[in-house]
Amino acid sequence: MTSTDLASGARAGVTPLEFRETLGRFASGVTVITATDGETRRGMTASAFVSVSLTPPLILVSVDHRAHMYALLSQESVTHFGVNVLSSTQKHLSDHFAGRPGPEEAVPWFAHEGLPLIGGSVAQLVCRKHQVIEAGDHTLYLGYVEYSRYTDDDPLLYFRSQYHELG
């Protein structure tokens, strides 16, 4: 199958449900991608996050075109975004930013040079948009890491559509 076949929507193997179920067998950390829309702080839960390069320091996050964060990150005026690796105690924040029903949670926001980040996270990264790549129904945002901080707390894990903890 050629890239033209893929772009035209020709069936290429598995269905979306099969693909989702299969990739659900890959344990991942849980992140919240953050950015600002003027004075309003925005966040989106994402498990499609990966480190790309140490030199230069690059990461990648994949954002669904239906997500509010896609509309925000697509704006040329939005030059930076945050990545917050959630701790094992922050399941409620993952649910909150995934839009799952439940009580409104007080988000422990803090700002780094005007960019909203989430306190209590295992790690935070501030990234400058480096490259934007269209990929099917998602857009890949390659970020150049300009700032990072971390703790030794345990991360929140996601596996087979459920939260897990280390140990």
Side-chain angles (χ1 to χ4, degrees), residues 23-159:
L23 293 183
R25 276 37 185 190
F26 177 70
S28 66
V30 180
T31 66
V32 172
I33 307 308
T34 53
T36 185
D37 184 7
E39 294 297 314
T40 306
R41 298 172 292 215
R42 304 277 183 208
M44 178 197 84
T45 299
S47 57
F49 162 78
V50 65
S51 107
V52 173
S53 169
L54 291 176
T55 308
L58 298 173
I59 60 89
L60 181 141
V61 64
S62 178
V63 179
D64 190 309
H65 291 165
R66 297 171 296 176
H68 294 293
M69 187 59 70
Y70 167 71
L72 179 59
L73 290 178
S74 294
Q75 297 176 25
E76 284 193 33
S77 62
V78 176
T79 59
H80 288 75
F81 61 92
V83 178
N84 305 269
V85 179
L86 297 186
S87 79
S88 61
T89 65
Q90 293 181 310
K91 295 175 194 170
H92 62 287
L93 292 174
S94 174
D95 287 339
H96 172 76
F97 287 110
R100 293 190 185 103
E104 184 67 24
E105 296 293 336
V107 178
W109 292 110
F110 74 95
H112 177 80
E113 296 181 4
L115 186 71
L117 297 173
I118 297 175
S121 299
V122 172
Q124 295 101 8
L125 304 168
V126 170
C127 304
R128 178 175 29 88
K129 279 195 301 189
H130 180 71
Q131 190 174 358
V132 178
I133 305 160
E134 295 296 322
D137 59 2
H138 282 60
T139 293
L140 309 177
Y141 292 94
L142 200 60
Y144 180 89
V145 180
E146 294 182 340
Y147 168 83
S148 71
R149 65 189 294 253
Y150 63 91
T151 71
D152 288 329
D153 295 339
D154 285 339
L156 180 61
L157 301 178
Y158 199 67
F159 177 69

